[in-house]
Amino acid sequence: MNEHDNGRNTRGAGIHRRTLLKTTAAGIAALAMPAVLTRPVRAAADVPDMSSVKDAKIDWKQAKGSSITIGVTPAGYFDNLGALLPQFQELTGINVRLEKTPPGEIRQKAVLDLSSKTGTWASHAADPMYYPLYARNNWIDPLDTYLGDSKLTDPEWFAFDDIVKSWTGATSVDGKPYGIPYDGETTLQIYRTDVYEKLGLKPADTLEEYVSNAAKVNDPSNRLWGCALRGFKGAGQNMYIYPSLFEEFGGKWFNAENQIIVNGKEALDALEWYIDLLTKYAPKGVENWNWPDIADAFSQGTVGSYIDANTSAAVVANPEKSKVVGKIGFARWPKGPSGRRVASIWNWSFPINGALSKEDKAATWLFIQWAASKEVQAATSYDFPGAYKRLGVNRTSVLNSDAFKKLANGIGDTFIDATTASLEKDTHVDWRPRVPQWAAIGEIMATAIQASLVGQAKPKEALDKAQEKIAGIMKG
């Protein structure tokens, strides 16, 4: 536990619902990644056999007749889950409807639903940064009681500890799980192996080497730029990248007095590194680029390297759209001046709405347990008979399975090694400050970073202004 964990619960007391809804409405991270396109879609009736879920020593029919709605985003990994729902409904007698809402809106709708206790969504694809807010207000149920109830859960079959620990950590508050991850990611260095080999380069071990590689690759006269990072403004856009740099330069979000500090020397060094790299070696307009723009540019052969979610491999390795298939390498996020690697992590997870009836809570838990099970994770990934194969599987056993490795090796033979090393060694759940005010903090910092990148403000002035605003929010 680090220094700011101790005060997490007290920091949420002053945040106003109006402020929160305003910031969420501004549209935070749209991290939805499509899965791998490998073959044509087939009929839903072809979905794989998952009869082994019946091995769980629980009564799957105990909430028969319930009807629940789950909020999800319009993304391939939830489409795959939806294709399997008839099997869940036959297994349990529970009717489940997936309601699709864009990522930038799902947070706002969830906050409205939870805070008004209408119970419209039994569960939803939740942003891990919102769990402190949800838990602080008792809007969702802690899940340790569900995990420990033998009527509802067979712990040996469900194997909660098999789920990637950094992701369950990100959906826990004060040591209690509040959400079960369904799909997640970590962030890697992705590079062109043919370009690097031609120039005699290796993937960067440090941020300094990353700059050096970008300078050598950069050749705009031949439409090849050295690198790209997310420049688009948003808590999950440029603020998906900057917090990792901040910590790699030695930054800490909270000082010894438990006050958030965003304008110290480390913050300025990280911001100036980010600006210097992108203004010298990234394509013009990168300040408006999000992950799909970067992945598209890389797949068209105009960017030599980028640092982003491992699941963006689904785009750059798509043989129907990418020109660099077979020329893609993956490596861990380069170390910063502090000697640390700090990869960004993310997942979509399912909580239980605290406003539900007891029977609907049981039905929702059965759905969550089923969706997060090893069987469904495999069936929505390498075993899915349709065109898209999920890469963001939630379980260590699935990531290490021969079937998943076979799928991943088609993308690049270093993909699995880089992903697992990053998940095991380069991540921690507090790489962004997990406080109820995060939505507002993220937006303020995102504005300061982009204003600096486009030259509208000097970096120090932008950070000082952000510090003033954030300090006011933290005081409530």
Side-chain angles (χ1 to χ4, degrees):
M1 181 176 289
N2 60 37
E3 63 185 9
H4 66 270
D5 283 329
N6 295 325
R8 184 178 303 132
N9 273 352
T10 62
R11 292 193 191 101
I15 190 166
H16 298 292
R17 183 168 175 265
R18 182 183 301 171
T19 300
L20 177 73
L21 294 176
K22 182 178 179 182
T23 54
T24 53
I28 308 176
L31 297 177
M33 301 283 187
V36 180
L37 182 64
T38 56
R39 52 181 164 152
V41 177
R42 297 194 310 198
D46 292 339
V47 294
D49 176 26
M50 296 185 298
S51 58
S52 61
V53 298
K54 296 178 181 175
D55 293 343
K57 295 180 176 58
I58 55 174
D59 176 11
W60 284 106
K61 296 286 188 183
Q62 60 187 285
K64 181 181 179 180
S66 296
S67 293
I68 56 175
T69 299
I70 310 294
V72 298
T73 61
Y77 35 70
F78 288 125
D79 288 343
N80 288 12
L81 183 65
L84 304 185
L85 277 181
Q87 291 200 36
F88 175 75
Q89 291 165 354
E90 181 180 354
L91 174 72
T92 63
I94 298 167
N95 181 49
V96 177
R97 186 172 73 92
L98 298 184
E99 183 175 294
K100 295 180 181 179
T101 301
E105 298 172 18
I106 196 169
R107 298 163 177 84
Q108 183 187 22
K109 290 188 68 171
V111 168
L112 281 169
D113 184 32
L114 292 170
S115 61
S116 60
K117 301 187 184 302
T118 52
T120 302
W121 284 344
S123 184
H124 69 280
D127 181 331
M129 297 303 292
Y130 278 64
Y131 279 97
L133 174 73
Y134 294 171
R136 175 68 180 81
N137 289 285
N138 298 315
W139 291 342
I140 57 175
D141 284 1
L143 300 182
D144 52 344
T145 53
Y146 294 81
L147 287 163
D149 186 338
S150 60
K151 181 182 177 184
L152 289 170
T153 306
D154 177 351
E156 185 174 349
W157 171 80
F158 185 57
F160 175 70
D161 288 343
D162 183 39
I163 300 175
V164 175
K165 294 191 184 312
S166 57
W167 294 342
T168 54
T171 57
S172 297
V173 179
D174 293 337
K176 286 189 176 183
Y178 279 84
I180 302 295
Y182 165 73
D183 190 283
E185 65 189 33
T186 187
T187 301
L188 300 178
Q189 179 184 175
I190 304 169
Y191 62 97
R192 283 274 300 278
T193 54
D194 57 330
V195 173
Y196 273 40
E197 288 173 6
K198 181 179 179 181
L199 296 173
L201 302 177
K202 295 180 180 177
D205 188 51
T206 66
L207 290 179
E208 185 178 10
E209 290 177 7
Y210 191 76
V211 174
S212 176
N213 284 352
K216 292 173 182 174
V217 170
N218 199 49
D219 186 10
S221 62
N222 286 310
R223 293 193 53 74
L224 178 63
W225 283 265
C227 67
L229 299 175
R230 296 187 190 193
F232 190 67
K233 183 181 69 174
Q237 312 303 334
N238 51 9
M239 278 297 284
Y240 180 80
I241 297 296
Y242 173 80
S244 294
L245 296 174
F246 170 62
E247 293 204 2
E248 289 201 338
F249 273 85
K252 294 183 178 179
W253 291 100
F254 293 88
N255 64 15
E257 287 73 42
N258 214 24
Q259 297 170 325
I260 191 167
I261 303 295
V262 301
N263 63 340
K265 180 181 183 303
E266 297 83 2
L268 182 60
D269 289 346
L271 181 54
E272 289 181 338
W273 183 92
Y274 170 85
I275 293 170
D276 188 63
L277 178 77
L278 294 187
T279 53
K280 287 181 178 176
Y281 308 122
K284 292 188 181 301
V286 73
E287 66 271 13
N288 293 316
W289 283 18
N290 188 14
W291 73 265
D293 309 293
I294 297 172
D296 285 346
F298 184 87
S299 66
Q300 295 308 302
T302 60
V303 170
S305 171
Y306 69 103
I307 299 174
D308 212 300
N310 64 331
T311 47
S312 67
V315 175
V316 301
N318 182 342
E320 295 186 357
K321 297 181 180 179
S322 175
K323 297 178 180 178
V324 298
V325 175
K327 305 172 183 176
I328 309 167
F330 301 89
R332 293 160 67 186
W333 189 311
K335 288 184 289 191
S338 68
R340 295 179 60 203
R341 304 178 198 271
V342 183
S344 315
I345 56 169
W346 171 265
N347 67 75
W348 285 122
S349 54
F350 292 126
I352 292 181
N353 191 326
L356 300 180
S357 67
K358 183 179 180 180
E359 184 177 43
D360 282 350
K361 286 182 178 181
T364 305
W365 174 248
L366 292 175
F367 166 77
I368 293 172
Q369 190 177 190
W370 172 83
S373 68
K374 184 176 180 179
E375 285 87 346
V376 173
Q377 290 293 308
T380 52
S381 180
Y382 53 77
D383 269 352
F384 191 72
Y388 289 93
K389 314 290 187 184
R390 289 177 54 225
L391 291 178
V393 292
N394 72 355
R395 289 179 173 269
T396 302
S397 61
V398 178
L399 280 167
N400 290 324
S401 68
D402 290 342
F404 188 80
K405 289 178 180 177
K406 183 179 180 181
L407 171 67
N409 285 341
I411 300 168
D413 57 8
T414 54
F415 179 83
I416 288 285
D417 289 344
T419 295
T420 55
S422 179
L423 285 172
E424 293 171 1
K425 301 176 181 178
D426 303 342
T427 61
H428 70 93
V429 300
D430 292 314
W431 66 279
R432 294 180 290 181
R434 294 188 305 140
V435 293
Q437 299 91 335
W438 169 251
I441 294 171
E443 287 303 311
I444 292 169
M445 287 299 296
T447 299
I449 291 166
Q450 196 188 52
S452 303
L453 178 61
V454 301
Q456 292 178 346
K458 293 182 179 179
K460 184 65 170 72
E461 293 173 355
L463 291 175
D464 286 346
K465 189 175 180 180
Q467 175 66 36
E468 183 179 355
K469 289 183 177 179
I470 291 171
I473 289 172
M474 297 303 284
K475 289 178 181 177

